[in-house]
Amino acid sequence: MSIFTSRFILKDDPYSKHFVFNLPNTWETRPHEYEWAKHFAETGDIVLDAACGLSHPLKFYLADKCKEVYACDIDNRILSKSSILKDIEDTYGTVIEDSFLNHYFNPIHFSQSSLTNLPYQNKSFDKIFCISVLEHLSKEDMEQTFKEFRRTLKDKGLLVVTFDYPTINLEELKILLDKVKLKFYGDYSFDKPDNVLVSTIWGELNCFRAVLIKNEDEGFSM
């Protein structure tokens, strides 16, 4: 099945427990989410890891693969190298060496910002990644965030996102995407198969992955 298909993540989808770091066992869905998302990182890309978190590894993986990497988070500690390194050590039990800093950390452009007001120029990014964040926003903030993603995404750029379900209402998501003039790239299905991946750490949750693109069929006003 194509990586471009928007659907629930399944138990037998590819995953990796090592993604830059050895991922904690409590991260039940992230090994699958990252393993899927990594396929969209290409050498010539300018990319954004939106709401990147301090220790979460996607931004570091992107720094190893892409031309230019931006990472933002609302937590003001994202601007403190020492805070990020401490969070990495606390999360993974990993002591960071200078080789890591030079190869993974130093190339990243970090910013402290809300997703509803991104500090980037129009049409900046080939890809925007946002992993299991948007479902935690209010409806108003989610709408504004999608508008910001659309504004900062290049015309043929891709928005690569995952959502915790049922925290996200997928039918309402489809209506919202139509409203902000985004659409699924390729096929999509809201059907939940029997072998869907289940996380139990915060109650019973599933993970929905989606690849989105600008809908150029209709006009759009900010």
Side-chain angles (χ1 to χ4, degrees):
M1 189 177 296
S2 171
I3 61 168
F4 294 98
T5 302
S6 298
R7 60 169 175 80
F8 282 100
I9 294 178
L10 308 179
K11 293 177 182 178
D12 55 2
D13 282 333
Y15 70 94
S16 177
K17 292 294 291 183
H18 180 87
F19 192 81
V20 182
F21 309 109
N22 291 322
L23 303 182
N25 291 330
T26 53
W27 291 13
E28 296 172 293
T29 63
R30 289 299 171 90
H32 291 75
E33 292 174 84
Y34 291 144
E35 183 67 19
W36 167 71
K38 77 177 189 181
H39 293 289
F40 297 94
E42 297 182 291
T43 304
D45 283 346
I46 300 173
V47 301
L48 171 65
D49 185 2
C52 63
L54 272 71
S55 63
H56 288 184
L58 180 58
K59 55 188 171 293
F60 302 119
Y61 179 87
L62 296 173
D64 191 38
K65 297 294 181 180
C66 299
K67 177 182 177 181
E68 201 165 352
V69 178
Y70 292 77
C72 69
D73 200 273
I74 199 167
D75 190 333
N76 59 15
R77 293 179 298 162
I78 198 66
L79 300 179
S80 167
K81 179 185 290 188
S82 61
S83 294
I84 295 174
L85 296 180
K86 182 180 185 305
D87 201 54
I88 290 172
E89 293 178 3
D90 290 345
T91 301
Y92 309 108
T94 300
V95 177
I96 300 302
E97 300 178 354
D98 289 343
S99 59
F100 176 90
L101 293 176
N102 293 332
H103 189 72
Y104 290 98
F105 190 99
N106 292 336
I108 300 173
H109 305 280
F110 289 98
S111 296
Q112 189 273 326
S113 72
S114 166
L115 294 179
T116 61
N117 187 24
L118 295 175
Y120 309 112
Q121 297 295 316
N122 294 352
K123 301 182 181 181
S124 292
F125 303 113
D126 298 288
K127 313 278 171 55
I128 296 176
F129 298 83
C130 192
I131 304 298
S132 290
V133 172
L134 298 178
E135 67 272 22
H136 302 293
L137 303 180
S138 68
K139 291 181 180 180
E140 294 77 15
D141 283 351
M142 190 186 300
E143 179 177 341
Q144 181 58 32
T145 296
F146 275 129
K147 289 179 179 180
E148 282 293 273
F149 285 164
R150 192 185 193 284
R151 179 184 66 80
T152 56
L153 198 62
K154 293 182 180 180
D155 287 340
K156 300 301 180 182
L158 297 180
L159 175 56
V160 180
V161 292
T162 62
F163 304 91
D164 292 333
Y165 175 91
T167 310
I168 189 72
N169 182 309
L170 295 174
E171 295 295 340
E172 290 182 0
L173 172 65
K174 179 63 170 61
I175 293 171
L176 177 57
L177 294 178
D178 290 341
K179 182 177 181 180
V180 299
K181 304 301 181 269
L182 292 168
K183 63 181 179 179
F184 292 106
Y185 182 90
D187 296 332
Y188 72 93
S189 173
F190 294 161
D191 295 336
K192 191 166 72 167
D194 292 338
N195 63 334
V196 66
L197 184 65
V198 179
S199 171
T200 58
I201 190 171
W202 301 114
E204 186 170 310
L205 296 173
N206 309 121
C207 188
F208 188 85
R209 72 184 205 189
V211 187
L212 307 175
I213 195 169
K214 292 182 180 182
N215 186 348
E216 302 297 351
D217 297 335
E218 302 178 56
F220 179 77
S221 58
M222 294 302 296

